[in-house]
Amino acid sequence: MIDTSLSKKKDPDQPEISLPTLKSQRTKMGKSEDSEKKKKIKDVEISVPIVYGNAAFWLGKKASEYQSHRWTVYVRGATNEDLSVVVKRAVFQLHSSFNNPTRVVESAPFELSESGWGEFEIAITLFFHNDVCEKPLNLYHHLKLYPEDESGPMSTKKPVVVESYDEVVFTELSESFLARVQNHPAVTFPRLPAGVTLPPSVSTEDESKKKRGDTKDHPLSQWFLNFSEADELLQLAAARQQVQAHIAKLRRQISLTDGQNQQFKPL
Amino acid sequence: MDAKDILGLPKTPLPIPQEKKSRPQKDSQRKPDGISREVYALTGGVAPLMPSIDVSQLKRRPPSDEKITWQWLPFTSSARKDDLQLYHWVRVVNGVPPTGDYSFAKYNKSVDVIRYTDEEYEKYLTDPKWTKEETDQLFDLCERFDLRFIIIADRFPTHRTVEELKDRYYSVSRAILVARAPSPGEVAGHPLVKEPYNVTQETERKRALSMVLSQTKHQERKDAEVLAEAKRIAESRMAARATEEPDLPVPSDVGPESAEGAVGPGDTISPANVQAPAAAIAPSTSVIADNASTLASLRMLRVYLRTYALEQMVQAASSSAGLRTIKRVEQTLQDLGVNLKPKVPTKAVCAEHLELRKEILTLLNLQKQLQYKEAEGSSFRDGSYGDMPGTAKRSQRAADQDRTFVPDTISFGVIPGDRVVKREQKRKGPGRTSETPSSPAGAHKRPRKMKASDL
């Protein structure tokens, strides 16, 4: 049972907004609720760090003209946790020269393997569970088969891996969603506003029977890249410091020049 | 030649007769006809489509049935008050001289100056500043000179300004009109009554006009600058006022710690929501408003990628900057060793990145400000006739702007640490010397300040 007194209910007279507007005229989010199940909590966001990209193996001797590489495109949790807690399914849209270019993956790990010779843009659409978000999200990844260094030898053992880090941010959070993920490692759980409590999460399935959706022991996991925000933060902090020092210096110079100009100003 | 023989072609080339043919063609095309070629080309190079002068009108001869003579005859004019007879040539048709008044008499117009009687003067028109004599004189002159007040002022015996004379004349006329009118309603439409002469306003207006006329070029430029500045301030104030309304509901949403119950925010937000649609129509140019609206639109999406969010925020922050400035910001980022798009876009990294970009924008603005101030300073020192040298300095400064920016950024490309600090200190040295006022070669200070040897 969901505690109605403590959760924040959206104004029932707020009509549903389906399209994003650049100059938003309303600052409240949320749809009008009919059912008690979808109680939304505002001012809180949840972010799910993901990594998406591809790994491509050159087939070496077994390579033919149209099938020179074996590649896998995937979306994984940034720390290799199971994304199926939020993602219902992933649709990979391949180049039209492929048979059935729209490939749907219904369970984690959300990946797709194919063989081919060409590099092209793959559109990945993530569909989320109903209590997470009704709108899908699009990612775009340029399939990379050939190494950057064109002169180097191509090896069948070491794949060409290109990954991108990003975070999926959810702004409308239903209580059920929050309850479900409150202790899940794949999700960056936010600090809840005071006075909001969640029911304890109940595991709906027997853990052992579920297929493993995390990618910690994935065959490609040895090639996965590491993304650490610490380096970038350090870099940014140092840069900001330099800029701030320069700004202070300029401010001093400007006031000095102002003083000088006062002397010479014609009456 | 032999080949031509074989083929049976004529030996002499055809062009010669062709030339002769084309030349007369060209000549006829040119057709200067008395005017030079260039002048002809000015009018389009071709003959005019419509004749500008009706040729048939040019040499018209009078109809042959009439007999025209010219006679030296006397005439009088109704415009004259005496009986002076003057003589002039008259076109006589068939022995009949023309009748009618002198043809220019109709131009003898004069103004109807209202004359008052002495009684009327005593009753309505006395004024402490004017004697009856003066007023009489004024009206005489007005009649003589048809209200040409500048001439009247010249000839007026006592010294009075044009505005004073006008004021006296118009107020007297007005008073008389009103006094003589059977009812006030009848004269209400008379221009003299409807629009009275306003002395103070007129004096002020003329004073302002003469000031504007006598402005020097320098003052003109200053005025233009001040006006532009005022316009900018007014615009930003208007924008700030317009964005105040969307700003009101935003803070209450943005705060993650909003601990109030459902009633509180609900109350404050619904009236603000009514305002917000109206405010959203007004163009908001301030960065705060852009940020607020970007945040709000992001939340509208319900799900988005952090990289997309960063892009939007960066766009909003640089909305007031031109393309060139944006390129310079990116250049600075690169020189600082920062990725233009963060490789690990977590919430913290994106926030830092955005702040860094904003700080760089501030930095660039300050640099520009400093350059303007220094330009001002050197133009002051050089005197007010800074037109030509001034513009030359400005273009120099524009060139210097690009040059001086590069040495600035070179220092950023160093590993942060002592080296940077040292260079900053070192730069202070030449900076100080350049601030001492020197000769009119003010423009040349800039390169000296930032020479490569300093770094």
Side-chain angles (χ1 to χ4, degrees), chain A residues 5 7-9 11 13-14 16-31 40 42-50 52 126 128 132-140 163-173 191-195 226-230 232-233 235-258 260-267, chain B residues 218 222 246 249-250 252-262 265-266 269-270 273 276-277 280-284 290 292-294 296-308 312 332 336-339 341-353 355-356 359-360 362-364 366-367 369-370 372-374 376-378 380-381 408 411-416 420 424 427-428 431 435-437 449-450:
Chain A
S5 59
S7 69
K8 290 181 183 163
K9 195 174 167 146
D11 271 358
D13 52 336
Q14 197 86 6
E16 178 163 353
I17 306 143
S18 52
L19 294 167
T21 52
L22 279 177
K23 277 214 167 136
S24 67
Q25 302 187 357
R26 276 175 254 270
T27 50
K28 269 207 292 188
M29 286 62 58
K31 334 179 276 193
K40 304 283 180 180
K42 58 176 183 3
D43 305 336
V44 195
E45 64 174 38
I46 268 192
S47 62
V48 182
I50 58 167
Y52 60 95
L126 298 178
F128 306 104
V132 177
C133 181
E134 293 190 350
K135 261 180 59 179
L137 184 67
N138 289 322
L139 307 166
Y140 300 93
E163 288 186 327
S164 311
Y165 176 97
D166 213 325
E167 296 187 347
V168 183
V169 183
F170 298 100
T171 54
E172 269 199 3
L173 309 170
R191 228 179 104 191
L192 293 175
N226 260 329
F227 292 93
S228 141
E229 66 167 350
E232 201 129 31
L233 276 176
Q235 207 183 47
L236 285 168
R240 280 188 73 183
Q241 218 179 26
Q242 283 193 28
V243 174
Q244 280 161 5
H246 208 58
I247 287 178
K249 198 183 88 151
L250 280 177
R251 288 220 159 102
R252 283 198 297 276
Q253 283 180 335
I254 286 176
S255 57
L256 220 82
T257 322
D258 263 344
Q260 281 188 323
N261 287 353
Q262 280 299 333
Q263 294 177 336
F264 290 101
K265 226 186 226 172
L267 291 164
Chain B
H218 183 74
K222 301 236 82 191
V250 168
S252 59
D253 267 342
V254 168
E257 312 295 330
S258 50
E260 305 122 50
I269 287 174
S270 29
N273 265 338
I281 300 166
S284 58
D290 280 345
S293 67
T294 323
S297 74
L298 283 172
R299 259 180 262 135
M300 289 270 86
L301 293 177
R302 294 189 225 168
V303 62
Y304 56 86
L305 281 172
R306 194 143 339 251
T307 47
Y308 172 77
Q312 295 293 313
T332 319
L336 287 161
V338 170
N339 298 317
K341 292 198 175 179
K343 284 271 180 295
V344 190
T346 63
K347 191 165 182 178
V349 166
C350 288
E352 284 285 304
H353 188 95
E355 288 307 306
L356 178 62
E359 282 171 3
I360 294 178
T362 313
L363 178 71
L364 295 177
L366 283 178
Q367 276 183 339
Q369 224 184 29
L370 183 61
Y372 281 159
K373 297 233 180 240
E374 292 192 343
E376 250 189 355
S378 57
F380 285 151
R381 270 170 245 140
D408 272 353
S411 73
F412 283 143
V414 181
I415 307 160
V420 176
E424 296 268 64
R427 228 188 278 136
K428 275 195 195 148
E435 273 147 19
T436 58
K449 191 172 170 191
M450 296 286 182

Side-chain angles (χ1 to χ4, degrees), chain B residues 98-118:
Chain B
T99 52
D101 194 11
Y102 182 52
S103 60
F104 294 103
K106 61 181 183 274
Y107 298 115
N108 188 37
K109 297 266 191 231
S110 61
V111 181
D112 291 326
V113 172
I114 302 173
R115 298 316 294 254
Y116 48 81
T117 62
D118 290 339

Side-chain angles (χ1 to χ4, degrees), chain B residues 197-216:
Chain B
Y197 182 73
N198 190 337
V199 188
T200 45
Q201 196 186 53
E202 284 294 299
T203 336
E204 195 49 43
R205 182 180 69 89
K206 293 207 176 149
R207 191 185 67 85
L209 267 176
S210 67
M211 265 183 59
V212 172
L213 204 61
S214 56
Q215 257 187 352
T216 63

